[in-house]
Amino acid sequence: MIANGFRAERLLEPGVMLLLVGVMWIPGICALAVNALAGRPVSALGLRFGGFKPYLAVIPIVPAVFAAAYGLSWLIGLGSPDWAMTRLLHDMKMAPGASMPSHHALLIMLPASAIVGPIFNFLAALGEELGWRGFLLPALMPLGKLRAYLLLGIIWGLWHMPLVLVGFNYPGHPLAGVLMMCLGTIAIGIFINEFALAWQSTLLAAFIHAAINAQAYGVWQHIFPDMNPLLGGDTGLTGIACWTVAGLLAMRLLSRKNPAV
């Protein structure tokens, strides 16, 4: 499809979007198949809830990391906010002069993306997480945490290569975008891995993954529409730095976690 000229704009078509959701289940289907061939129960993939506390913690933490990434980008001059979100309104074909002030974004769109977004995106994210945190992370852990996290992050990043090449992620930067995607998935992976291991829950990993997707494709891109994807925002160096800090803090705080069943 890429060789035939498939571009990111087509991902907005309903049929293609459904296909993309189906593709997200390939890691999960592979994990389920290998797990079954090994004669292990499905529960071996970490399909347990793990308690309410980590989910409640993640709901504010994920938007806070995004706010830090975009706030840092703004602070160092990589982009400026468009509180009226004029590009979004134009794309929605709203009346000339229509605007959406910042308090609408903060009081409506951001809470909705933080609370409703993870639920809406959960099933699609679970398809990936059955493969990444359900099967691959435990399989790699005998190599040691550092190697396991690096390898999983690289594999997860390369999994997104087709989306980068068609311009869905890092538009205009296909080669550098693949590298940045891998760095980003390594950084985000530290955070998700720590929570998944602490509560032995792939469902929790899927919830975090879904929460991140909800923020990544939600209000922030509309408030900062002209951010350089390689340098600023959640996908650039600022985002990688903020997720690395969040991951290392999670590692420190959860290292002695003994979760209750």
Side-chain angles (χ1 to χ4, degrees):
M1 295 176 68
I2 297 175
N4 293 330
F6 183 92
R7 300 306 300 165
E9 292 76 12
R10 290 202 56 196
L11 292 171
L12 299 177
E13 300 174 12
V16 179
M17 290 181 66
L18 288 175
L19 176 62
L20 183 60
V21 172
V23 169
M24 290 179 70
W25 264 89
I26 291 177
I29 292 172
C30 292
L32 289 167
V34 173
N35 193 68
L37 289 173
R40 303 195 307 170
V42 176
S43 59
L45 295 175
L47 288 174
R48 60 191 302 273
F49 182 66
F52 283 100
K53 287 184 178 180
Y55 296 87
L56 294 176
V58 162
I59 288 174
I61 288 174
V62 170
V65 176
F66 273 80
Y70 280 93
L72 177 61
S73 302
W74 183 15
L75 181 65
I76 62 179
L78 294 175
S80 298
D82 174 18
W83 297 117
M85 293 189 285
T86 52
R87 184 172 300 180
L88 172 64
L89 297 178
H90 178 269
D91 291 343
M92 294 172 63
K93 295 181 173 59
M94 296 182 70
S99 65
M100 183 178 293
S102 59
H103 69 273
H104 284 185
L106 296 176
L107 297 179
I108 299 174
M109 294 180 68
L110 185 55
S113 66
I115 298 170
V116 180
I119 299 172
F120 183 78
N121 291 306
F122 178 79
L123 284 179
L126 180 60
E128 282 197 47
E129 289 304 325
L130 279 171
W132 307 144
R133 253 59 63 170
F135 178 81
L136 193 55
L137 179 59
L140 293 174
M141 284 302 288
L143 298 175
K145 179 178 282 191
L146 177 60
R147 288 193 181 97
Y149 282 18
L150 286 175
L151 281 173
L152 178 53
I154 292 170
I155 293 169
W156 187 19
L158 291 177
W159 164 256
H160 291 87
M161 184 186 294
L163 290 178
V164 177
L165 294 180
V166 301
F168 183 72
N169 303 109
Y170 302 97
H173 308 279
L175 298 181
V178 173
L179 173 61
M180 292 297 291
M181 177 62 77
C182 290
L183 294 176
T185 47
I186 290 171
I188 293 171
I190 299 171
F191 184 83
I192 301 180
N193 294 342
E194 288 296 319
F195 273 83
L197 290 174
W199 276 273
Q200 295 294 300
S201 174
T202 303
L203 297 181
L204 176 58
F207 184 83
I208 300 173
H209 190 151
I212 292 171
N213 283 353
Q215 294 298 307
Y217 306 115
V219 64
W220 298 105
Q221 289 189 349
H222 303 306
I223 296 177
F224 291 88
D226 298 317
M227 191 73 69
N228 185 314
L230 295 176
L231 300 177
D234 62 293
T235 61
L237 294 176
T238 54
I240 291 171
C242 289
W243 276 114
T244 300
V245 171
L248 293 177
L249 286 173
M251 185 181 295
R252 180 177 178 83
L253 295 172
L254 299 178
S255 60
R256 294 184 295 275
K257 182 79 177 100
N258 184 21
V261 178

